[in-house]
Amino acid sequence: MEPYDIKNLNNRFAHITNISVQKEHPGFFHQREHKILSFDQLRGYLQEKQPIHDSPRDLVEEVIKPQIKGALRSALMAAEGKLDERRGQFSLLGADMLITQGSGIEDFGVSLLEFNKNPDLELHNKELSRILPPLIRETLDIVLEVERGTDASRPQCIEGFEYLYDQQDI
């Protein structure tokens, strides 16, 4: 939200922050549409800021998304057996990712900054308003389907979501 200044390390808005911190900034309301992006918006931003003319590849689909999925999958596998498991309960985790860019298409990197145990579910902008209601609805549908035991197989993802990790696959 604000430029980083090493002389003012207490300015929370100048550091990498998640939406729960950003929303406290006085200018957040006017900038909120640019703070959480869809993959299409990210693709447009990257093409505008750093066009990669020598490659017809889709940077988001071929480089960034696989790295995001890999980082999330690795973290979930590392946490196997360390998360509370109670019948009839579930956790909805948020994940903050950092995308770094280089000079070429292969130089982009993705890092997992943190998981949020209690992610902010407020509908701050159009993208969150588009994605959060179906995410919550599908999460509850999956939990209820598993609780009812209606199908021995994995519940189907809908609304464009996908499984990244399933404990049954281990």
Side-chain angles (χ1 to χ4, degrees):
M1 295 293 302
E2 295 181 5
Y4 180 76
D5 181 357
I6 197 156
K7 295 176 187 169
N8 187 4
L9 297 178
N10 293 325
N11 182 358
R12 294 179 65 201
F13 301 119
H15 297 274
I16 297 171
T17 59
N18 59 30
I19 199 76
S20 65
V21 174
Q22 290 181 10
K23 71 182 181 184
E24 302 301 324
H25 188 276
F28 175 75
F29 180 79
H30 299 292
Q31 297 180 34
R32 70 185 187 276
E33 294 302 329
H34 305 289
K35 297 302 173 188
I36 295 179
L37 306 177
S38 68
F39 284 118
D40 287 337
Q41 291 168 320
L42 175 61
R43 185 178 294 107
Y45 173 82
L46 292 172
Q47 288 171 346
E48 176 185 319
K49 295 295 182 186
Q50 186 172 355
I52 301 175
H53 301 290
D54 60 338
S55 177
R57 294 175 60 193
D58 183 335
L59 180 63
V60 171
E61 289 299 323
E62 296 181 38
V63 178
I64 294 174
K65 278 175 117 175
Q67 288 186 48
I68 290 172
K69 292 176 186 180
L72 294 172
R73 194 176 293 115
S74 292
L76 291 170
M77 289 175 71
E80 178 71 29
K82 296 179 178 100
L83 300 174
D84 290 337
E85 293 182 36
R86 295 187 185 123
R87 183 164 176 78
Q89 295 183 5
F90 69 96
S91 294
L92 180 62
L93 303 174
D96 293 337
M97 309 300 290
L98 176 66
I99 300 172
T100 56
Q101 65 185 81
S103 58
I105 195 166
E106 300 302 332
D107 296 328
F108 279 77
V110 175
S111 299
L112 172 63
L113 291 176
E114 68 178 352
F115 273 110
N116 298 298
K117 188 175 174 182
N118 297 306
D120 187 341
L121 298 176
E122 195 171 339
L123 305 177
H124 295 290
N125 69 7
K126 290 176 188 170
E127 182 58 19
L128 289 175
S129 295
R130 182 188 72 79
I131 198 169
L132 285 179
L135 171 72
I136 294 166
R137 185 173 41 256
E138 181 171 336
T139 300
L140 291 174
D141 286 347
I142 289 171
V143 169
L144 292 172
E145 188 174 330
V146 169
E147 185 63 23
R148 289 184 197 120
T150 56
D151 188 352
S153 66
R154 171 191 309 185
Q156 294 299 309
C157 282
I158 55 173
E159 301 281 351
F161 297 104
E162 63 183 270
Y163 281 95
L164 293 179
Y165 170 72
D166 189 336
Q167 293 169 316
Q168 297 174 7
D169 293 341
I170 298 181

